[in-house]
Every structure is written in structure tokens, then in C-alpha cells.
Amino acid sequence: MTRWIFLGFLLIVGALLISMSRLQVKNDDVPYFLRYDSIAANSNPQIDLEIESVIVPSEQQIEKLLEDYAAIWAHLNELYQHSNPKPNKERFTERFYVNLAENYQEGPPGPIRRTNLSHAIQIKTWSKDGLACNILDSLAVFQYRFPDNTSQTSEAKIAVSLLFQGDNWRLDAIRFIEEKTTTPTP
């Protein structure tokens, strides 16, 4: 009798394991650190750096910050033309991304293309743990290309707040303090 109870128990456990294996969802997403970021790879603006923070970051931290800052702007430029925030999700904090996603309206890509040419950034504050920093981009130079093949260059003063999450810096807040057109080109 005990043998039949034991075999019945094994049969029930086997049936549960088989049913659970069929419910398992396979995730074919490539891990973040193995993904190739083609948007960021095509961006290479000139970045001048000045550190005004009491806490000074190491050379490795500065190198990572500059690399990610250029990538963030490449994704912001992509977002300027294509308003879908999903491809740019990895470069924004969750709070920033949720705000973008709430305002997303599907439609055709915008006709104006923006490229960032250079930045003059000042690190105003750097956290002791190296996970947050506030930056003043005192001279960001952008080039706008219009559908009729004309272009325009503008300079902007921008305040940026970044958080280090996962393996990279992410945009948490941004504010354009001033932007002016410098050279309209026919």
C-alpha cells in the first residue's frame, strides 16, 4: 500500500513539473551589456570638461561620464526626430522615461534633424558615492537640418542631472536655460 502512495506522489510531482515547464516564458532579449548601441556609436561631439565640484571624480569615472553623456545626447537627438521613447529607454531614468512615454503620440518622424556638435560641460556637483552628478552645459552647439536642405546652428545653456544606474549614466532631468540661433544658413 505504501508503494502505491509513493508512486502516486511521484506521479503528481512529475505532472506538476511538466506543466510548470510548459508555462515557463522564454526571454530571447540580449542582455544590456551585450547590446550594440548604433545611435550612440554614430555620435562623436567634442566635449570640453571643467570640474567645479568639491568631490573630484577619478579618471575612469570621467571617461565613462563623457562617453555616456555623448550617448545620451545622441538618443535625445534621435528622440527629437522620432518621438518614440522605447529605443532610448536605456539612457533615461525610469521617472524620466515614464514622463516621455505618457506624452508619446505615434506619428511620422519629424522633418527636422538635430545634431549636437560640441559641449562645454562643468561638473557642478558630484556625489560621494559617484552615482549622481549635476552638470551645467554652458555651450552646447546644435545643428538643425531642415527638409529643404538648409541648416541652422544654435548655442544653448543647459542644466542636466544624471544618475548612474546599471552600467551607465542616465538622464534624470534636463532644462534648457537659454538657446539662441547663431548662424542661419540658406
Side-chain angles (χ1 to χ4, degrees):
M1 181 68 171
T2 311
R3 179 186 305 170
W4 292 108
I5 294 172
F6 184 70
L7 286 174
F9 178 73
L10 286 178
L11 186 63
I12 291 171
V13 169
L16 283 173
L17 288 175
I18 290 171
S19 65
M20 288 177 64
S21 69
R22 290 184 180 167
L23 293 175
Q24 188 177 25
V25 177
K26 293 183 181 180
N27 189 357
D28 293 333
D29 288 342
V30 177
Y32 175 73
F33 59 88
L34 292 177
R35 293 183 198 157
Y36 177 71
D37 190 355
S38 61
I39 296 171
N42 295 328
S43 175
N44 193 17
Q46 177 187 347
I47 301 176
D48 297 326
L49 175 69
E50 182 181 337
I51 301 171
E52 296 180 2
S53 173
V54 175
I55 300 166
V56 179
S58 68
E59 288 296 320
Q60 290 176 331
Q61 290 173 320
I62 291 172
E63 184 179 319
K64 181 65 175 162
L65 174 72
L66 294 178
E67 175 187 326
D68 287 345
Y69 192 71
I72 287 168
W73 276 105
H75 283 271
L76 285 172
N77 292 338
E78 180 72 14
L79 193 61
Y80 189 84
Q81 187 174 18
H82 304 281
S83 63
N84 183 5
K86 189 162 176 72
N88 308 305
K89 183 177 184 177
E90 301 297 332
R91 295 297 175 176
F92 307 134
T93 61
E94 185 176 349
R95 181 177 64 98
F96 193 85
Y97 177 76
V98 166
N99 287 333
L100 288 175
E102 285 175 354
N103 296 318
Y104 170 61
Q105 295 177 352
E106 193 169 339
I112 303 172
R113 188 161 183 80
R114 182 177 74 183
T115 309
N116 55 317
L117 303 176
S118 65
H119 299 275
I121 63 174
Q122 301 165 345
I123 298 176
K124 295 294 188 178
T125 59
W126 187 271
S127 67
K128 287 183 182 181
D129 59 4
L131 298 177
C133 72
N134 293 313
I135 294 174
L136 178 64
D137 196 340
S138 59
L139 186 60
V141 179
F142 299 104
Q143 182 179 43
Y144 296 90
R145 292 210 179 269
F146 301 104
D148 60 356
N149 289 328
T150 60
S151 65
Q152 164 183 314
T153 305
S154 69
E155 295 177 353
K157 187 175 189 177
I158 307 164
V160 178
S161 180
L162 302 175
L163 297 177
F164 194 80
Q165 295 177 338
D167 290 337
N168 60 353
W169 287 96
R170 295 174 187 243
L171 180 64
D172 189 47
I174 186 168
R175 179 168 185 183
F176 279 74
I177 298 169
E178 176 185 355
E179 185 172 13
K180 60 183 176 184
T181 303
T182 55
T183 55
T185 308

